[in-house]
Amino acid sequence: MTSPQRPGSPLATLRRITANRPAPVAYERCEMCAEQISESHQHVVNLESRALMCTCRACYLLFTADGAELRYRAVPDRYLSYPEFTIGPGQWDQLEIPVGLAFLFRNSLQHRTIAFYPGPAGATESELPLQAWDPVVAANPQLGLLRADVEALLLRAPERGRAGFTCNLVPIDACYELVGRLRQLWRGFDGGGDAHAAMDQFFETVTARSRPAPAVRPTPGP
Ligand SMILES: [Zn+2]
Ligand SMILES: [Zn+2]
């Protein structure tokens, strides 16, 4: 490696690099093969640790097969809306989600459906009461399109005085990104203005990217 400046000790070089490093870093590296990747890149979920890994396109494509027995799974980039989604206010209460917003995802290794929601203590995770959730899925069979581990259902309660719960299917990396942003912005008990503005912006993006979920035949009972 050559430098236009006088070569210094490794430590001096390190200090110079650290001091000059722009924040945020303009590029990252694939966490599987160390290839340089751009800021908008795709992710792979480690099923055991549930960690998201930033990947290059080639590594991402290794893990897109749905049925394969793999330790990693590629996060798809589809967004779906459920225009006919129905949930009764009583059913919503039974889900025990304390705020008006939650992500639900299925953990395939633990065979659990987990609710994830923002709050004053950062993101909170709780196992969903399935006796409350199963009837919602039965009434909305398209929710079954959800892929375990890599996608989430984003549920939002209506603003006070308005009707209609909404549901979208979103990539799980988008959820983590929102939760991370909310963690920095959250103030007080209900989140405050900045957190709500971030949520509104997120919902605008989700709405713009979503297409209606394809029809699904209800699964016959046992
Ligand atoms: Zn790679
Ligand atoms: Zn990344």
Side-chain angles (χ1 to χ4, degrees), residues 30 33 56 59:
C30 173
C33 73
C56 71
C59 289

Side-chain angles (χ1 to χ4, degrees), residues 11 20 25-26 32 44 48 57-58 63 77 92 99 101 117 122 124 127 130 163 179 189 201 205 212:
L11 188 61
N20 293 345
V25 187
M32 293 190 147
V44 157
E48 271 160 43
R57 184 81 186 149
F63 302 104
D77 63 357
W92 174 267
V99 291
L101 163 86
Y117 45 82
T124 311
E127 191 163 351
L130 287 181
V179 168
F189 187 74
Q201 196 192 353
T205 308

